[in-house]
Amino acid sequence: MREFLLGLRLLFGAGRGNRIRFFLMAAGGSIGVCCLALVLTIPQILDAHDGRSAAREPQSTSAQPAGSTLILQRSDPYGSRTFTRVFVAKGAKGTDKTPPGLSELPDPGQVFVSPRVHELLRDQPTVKGLLPGHEKGVIGPAGLAHPDELFAYIGTTRDRIADEGRALQGFGYSYAPFPAVEPSTLTNLRFALGTLVLLPLGIFLSVCARLSAAGRTRRLASLRLLGLSVKGTQRVNAAETVVAALLGALLGLGEYWLLNQVMTRTGLPSLRWYPDDGALSATTIAVCLIGCPVLAWFVGRASARDAAANPLAVRRTAAPGRPAKWGGLLLVSGLGIVIGYCGTGLIGRPANSIGPNALLIPAGILLTGLGLVRTLPLISYTLARRLARTTQSLTLNLAMRRNEVEPGSTMRVVTGLVLLVFAASLAQGVLIQLKQVTRPSAPVQDYSLPLSAITAEQQRDLSRLPGVRAHALIMDSWVDLDLPDGVLPSQTTALLATCEQLAEMVKRSEGCEDGKVMQLFDPNSSVGSDLVPGTSFPFRFEGGKRKDLNITLPSERVVHSAYSPSAAGSATLLLPPSTLPSDARPETARLVLVSTSDPAQVRKVLDGIAAIAPIAEIELIGVNIQGLQQIAVIETLLALGMIMGLVIGAAAFLVSVTDRAVERRAQVTAITLIGARTRTMRTVQCVQVVLPLSIGLVLALVTGKLAESSYLITGGSEIYWDVAGTPLLALAAAGVAAAAALGSMPLVGRRIDPELIRRD
């Protein structure tokens, strides 16, 4: 306790500069704690979403006792989101059972809507076709997964839903039918966010705890020489860092509270939540208020070790020893695991993530990241020593001698930026794997809409949507169900499209001729293999204004290869668009639109469809709309993690470079007074930072790509080697090096203060 009080007296009685440094430590730590609280709260936000979804899920049975309340739930895509409608037919029983967010069940003709649907009805009146009845009220927050959800309870009569409705028994399940993020994916997401944010965060908090390390070490050495014990000296230093970390933690929690209030009002792309969802939990508060001071305690004791063990060497500014080699063991161990998994992909026997691999994979990646951080000072020291002995350049010699004497000082500046590039590779790997899991592997995406649900004008507008590569009509032939027993009706599916449109819908097509009726033949499919050329197939039209159209199956073939899944894969007959009159409306026709399968493009096309035909039912062939929403949430969270990692890395760089400038003022002034020009000194400062940073960035690129490949291989991804993402990372690394070079320039000013040398 005596040493703790002594540390506080030194803190507040050592002058204005020391107090400014203390508050800088606290401010820097608050940024880190705010990011930590956000990372820890993300699972809580997702759990709150799932909890409310599970609480409103109806419990029902297929049996329909007399007087029971019937319920029918529909979830359809509206644009890139899901529109859920729950039809309720009240009976004598079950009316007392109400879902969360409602005080009563709707009567026939009444509709309860979410706030977002309420706004939608005002902006898009055509949506009213989806909600038969008048608006009775708004669903409360307890009945919605998030503020932007499209949800409605619609009162109806028993006869309307008797065929498909189920008897209501209550509401609430222990699990959500469609979780915001699947549990297995959430595990990967936590690991990715931990790598993106927590690793740089640990470095940043350590940097903040070691501000003005040189000056503080000299002061602690003086205390040691005055008779303070070794442990007492370490405790004095730890007291200051702990108080700064505790104040920073309190400030950081306050910053997060303000951030939560702002973000719940503005939201993030594809992710919204209520203020209570993001409220600080007891666990988060405990981790921040206990974990950060504990980390600062150990960092403070470690940074005072040299002053306590050898105070004379510190006071006389003796050259420090060679950096420890144990960090290299971490890097070698991590790379050994990572390269081993990459080797399984090279030999064609990829390992999986089951059993021990589930622990070894993240362990190898974390060891690689930590080993990279701990090995950089040793690499910088070795390179600086060799270059200083061999170079004939004064600038390079000065820079390398300083890095040789203080390799740890330089690495504090660049470590956060190096870790950011390493973590970015892993983020790319997570996105690649998730995209392959949540969407088809085909490069095209088909959208199917019933032609009866849209007008001719809407059909034209839909075919001209931006991003739509091709459009076509698919219709089934009429089947006579009154055939004698034992006689099977013949049926075919016709595709109305030009040869150009067909080529956009399939992998390849050969032998197509515009203006001719032709048979579609896919050698890799059995569809249509039982059809005989010469068979006639009738197609009927709506309203009876036109006669049936009879098409004879020709012998001429178009050999094609369809994607799986694909709307064109079920067609066996190709009809030119001129076969049908412009005003003909086949009974069973569907409009098919084709775009690329990029998730952003899919969402754009779906939003365009909703703007033109909001009531039409959209079949997104081969894709679950919930999966599309899920990948949008994950992309948002990973982007948020990247932004936090960038903020932390940039903050660590600014704090370190500023602290280094203050510590180096005396040495820079001394060399400048000897005769070194300002331009030379600025070049020296730039080389001191950029050279070790460049080495670290190259290592981060190589090790990050190896870690990403091991993650993709063990995750069962179709892509093992992410070559496409390398140029982006290389460009980001070059930008980081350029920013570091510019940031090191102001370290040397034009004003020379000899007083700094006299004080030293």
Side-chain angles (χ1 to χ4, degrees):
M1 190 63 183
R2 183 171 59 91
E3 292 85 357
F4 184 81
L5 295 176
L6 177 59
L8 294 181
R9 292 184 62 185
L10 289 173
L11 169 63
F12 295 105
R16 185 181 63 180
N18 198 56
R19 290 193 291 271
I20 292 175
R21 176 182 53 78
F22 170 79
F23 287 113
L24 284 176
M25 291 169 61
S30 69
I31 297 175
V33 170
C34 181
C35 292
L36 175 61
L38 184 56
V39 172
L40 294 176
T41 309
I42 285 174
Q44 174 183 318
I45 293 173
L46 298 178
D47 288 342
H49 279 205
D50 295 343
R52 287 192 295 270
S53 295
R56 73 180 181 207
E57 190 67 14
Q59 299 176 4
S60 59
T61 178
S62 57
Q64 299 180 4
S68 61
T69 297
L70 300 185
I71 194 164
L72 175 64
Q73 185 166 311
R74 291 276 191 243
S75 293
D76 303 308
Y78 181 85
S80 57
R81 293 179 292 173
T82 300
F83 195 157
T84 302
R85 295 171 296 162
V86 181
F87 295 88
V88 180
K90 293 173 67 174
K93 302 177 182 177
T95 55
D96 58 332
K97 301 178 177 66
T98 57
L102 290 185
S103 58
E104 60 176 337
L105 291 175
D107 292 324
Q110 295 181 346
V111 179
F112 289 93
V113 297
S114 65
R116 188 69 187 92
V117 174
H118 176 77
E119 297 174 4
L120 201 62
L121 286 170
R122 182 185 58 204
D123 301 334
Q124 298 279 349
T126 51
V127 177
K128 190 171 178 58
L130 295 171
L131 307 168
H134 65 275
E135 185 178 331
K136 173 69 173 177
V138 177
I139 303 171
L144 300 173
H146 54 86
D148 278 349
E149 189 175 22
L150 301 179
F151 204 92
Y153 290 95
I154 303 170
T156 185
T157 57
R158 189 181 184 89
D159 58 300
R160 289 178 178 266
I161 61 173
D163 293 338
E164 300 180 74
R166 298 170 65 89
L168 177 65
Q169 294 183 324
F171 290 91
Y173 276 91
S174 58
Y175 59 90
F178 300 106
V181 178
E182 292 290 341
S184 58
T185 305
L186 184 58
T187 302
N188 295 336
L189 182 63
R190 284 172 175 165
F191 173 67
L193 289 177
T195 307
L196 281 170
V197 180
L198 297 184
L199 274 179
L201 179 61
I203 300 297
F204 176 55
L205 293 178
S206 299
V207 166
C208 292
R210 297 192 64 187
L211 285 176
S212 298
R216 292 162 63 194
T217 302
R218 291 171 63 82
R219 186 180 64 194
L220 293 172
S222 299
L223 292 176
R224 178 75 179 96
L225 291 172
L226 290 175
L228 196 63
S229 65
V230 173
K231 290 186 177 180
T233 304
Q234 293 177 326
R235 289 169 185 161
V236 168
N237 188 51
E240 183 177 359
T241 57
V242 166
V243 173
L246 186 59
L247 178 59
L250 292 173
L251 291 174
L253 293 177
E255 292 169 3
Y256 170 78
W257 183 85
L258 291 175
L259 183 66
N260 181 50
Q261 298 301 316
V262 172
M263 293 180 73
T264 52
R265 286 163 175 79
T266 60
L268 294 173
S270 306
L271 182 63
R272 287 287 305 275
W273 65 91
Y274 294 104
D276 290 343
D277 297 346
L280 290 167
S281 64
T283 303
T284 301
I285 294 174
V287 169
C288 294
L289 293 183
I290 298 175
C292 293
V294 168
L295 175 62
W297 171 266
F298 285 107
V299 171
R301 286 178 60 87
S303 60
R305 188 180 298 116
D306 292 339
N310 198 351
L312 283 176
V314 172
R315 290 299 304 173
R316 294 173 181 174
T317 321
R322 182 186 181 96
K325 298 181 180 180
W326 65 269
L329 296 176
L330 292 177
L331 182 60
V332 171
S333 301
L335 281 178
I337 298 173
V338 166
I339 293 174
Y341 285 114
C342 291
T344 63
L346 284 173
I347 64 176
R349 294 177 136 187
N352 54 39
S353 57
I354 300 175
N357 294 340
L359 296 177
L360 283 176
I361 296 165
I365 294 175
L366 290 176
L367 285 175
T368 302
L370 291 174
L372 179 64
V373 172
R374 300 304 305 172
T375 309
L376 286 178
L378 179 61
I379 295 175
S380 177
Y381 171 83
T382 304
L383 179 65
R385 190 172 186 182
R386 291 186 178 180
L387 287 178
R389 289 179 178 178
T390 57
T391 184
Q392 300 298 319
S393 169
L394 174 63
T395 301
L396 188 58
N397 190 282
L398 285 174
M400 293 301 100
R401 287 300 181 187
R402 174 52 55 186
N403 282 354
E404 179 186 358
V405 173
E406 292 181 349
S409 174
T410 304
M411 297 321 299
R412 272 190 296 155
V413 177
V414 305
T415 297
L417 301 178
V418 170
L419 270 181
L420 182 62
V421 174
F422 175 79
S425 291
L426 291 179
Q428 283 186 341
V430 173
L431 279 178
I432 288 173
Q433 187 183 40
L434 290 175
K435 285 180 179 179
Q436 291 178 349
V437 171
T438 55
R439 67 179 175 91
S441 57
V444 299
Q445 176 61 56
D446 293 351
Y447 315 79
S448 176
L449 296 87
L451 196 62
S452 59
I454 58 176
T455 64
E457 182 181 358
Q458 288 175 327
Q459 180 181 346
R460 288 192 296 270
D461 293 340
L462 289 171
S463 63
R464 297 169 185 169
L465 271 176
V468 173
R469 296 168 47 175
H471 65 279
L473 285 182
I474 286 186
M475 58 182 185
D476 298 323
S477 62
W478 176 75
V479 177
D480 185 3
L481 300 179
D482 296 330
L483 294 175
D485 295 339
V487 179
L488 297 177
S490 297
Q491 186 180 28
T492 188
T493 300
L495 176 68
L496 277 82
T498 63
C499 292
E500 182 181 356
Q501 291 170 338
L502 176 65
E504 292 287 345
M505 299 178 69
V506 298
K507 295 180 183 177
R508 63 178 183 85
S509 62
E510 299 175 359
C512 183
E513 296 182 29
D514 279 322
K516 292 183 63 176
V517 177
M518 305 187 75
Q519 182 181 354
L520 288 173
F521 174 71
D522 187 349
N524 300 318
S525 173
S526 61
V527 176
S529 59
D530 57 336
L531 299 180
V532 180
T535 307
S536 180
F537 297 97
F539 293 88
R540 289 192 169 182
F541 300 95
E542 292 180 350
K545 295 182 180 180
R546 293 187 176 274
K547 296 180 180 180
D548 296 347
L549 176 68
N550 292 301
I551 300 294
T552 302
L553 184 68
S555 57
E556 292 89 346
R557 288 182 171 184
V558 177
V559 180
H560 73 288
S561 179
Y563 294 107
S564 179
S566 168
S570 61
T572 56
L573 193 62
L574 178 64
L575 303 181
S578 58
T579 305
L580 296 182
S582 58
D583 59 342
R585 310 288 288 181
E587 284 184 343
T588 59
R590 290 164 289 156
L591 175 65
V592 176
L593 307 177
V594 182
S595 75
T596 63
S597 59
D598 179 71
Q601 185 63 55
V602 172
R603 287 194 293 269
K604 183 178 179 181
V605 173
L606 284 172
D607 289 337
I609 294 173
I612 296 173
I615 304 175
E617 181 182 358
I618 307 169
E619 181 186 357
L620 196 59
I621 297 177
V623 172
N624 189 338
I625 191 66
Q626 282 81 15
L628 195 65
Q629 287 182 316
Q630 188 173 127
I631 192 173
V633 171
I634 293 168
E635 286 178 342
T636 297
L637 293 177
L638 286 178
L640 180 62
M642 287 294 296
I643 292 173
M644 286 191 289
L646 179 62
V647 169
I648 293 170
F653 173 74
L654 292 175
V655 169
S656 300
V657 82
T658 304
D659 182 53
R660 185 168 173 267
V662 174
E663 286 188 343
R664 293 289 321 284
R665 285 183 303 172
Q667 291 88 347
V668 171
T669 301
I671 297 176
T672 303
L673 288 176
I674 292 174
R677 293 182 300 176
T678 302
R679 181 184 300 176
T680 302
M681 291 304 301
R682 286 180 176 171
T683 306
V684 168
Q685 299 299 318
C686 182
V687 171
Q688 285 179 11
V689 173
V690 171
L691 187 59
L693 175 60
S694 301
I695 296 171
L697 291 176
V698 171
L699 284 174
L701 280 172
V702 174
T703 57
K705 280 297 171 184
L706 289 173
E708 178 192 10
S709 296
S710 67
Y711 177 83
L712 291 174
I713 289 170
T714 54
S717 173
E718 295 179 3
I719 297 176
Y720 289 171
W721 321 107
D722 177 26
V723 180
T726 303
L728 179 62
L729 280 179
L731 185 62
V736 166
L742 292 175
S744 62
M745 292 298 182
L747 292 180
V748 180
R750 296 183 178 180
R751 181 174 175 270
I752 299 174
D753 186 8
E755 184 68 16
L756 294 171
I757 301 177
R758 190 190 70 81
R759 289 176 182 174
D760 186 63

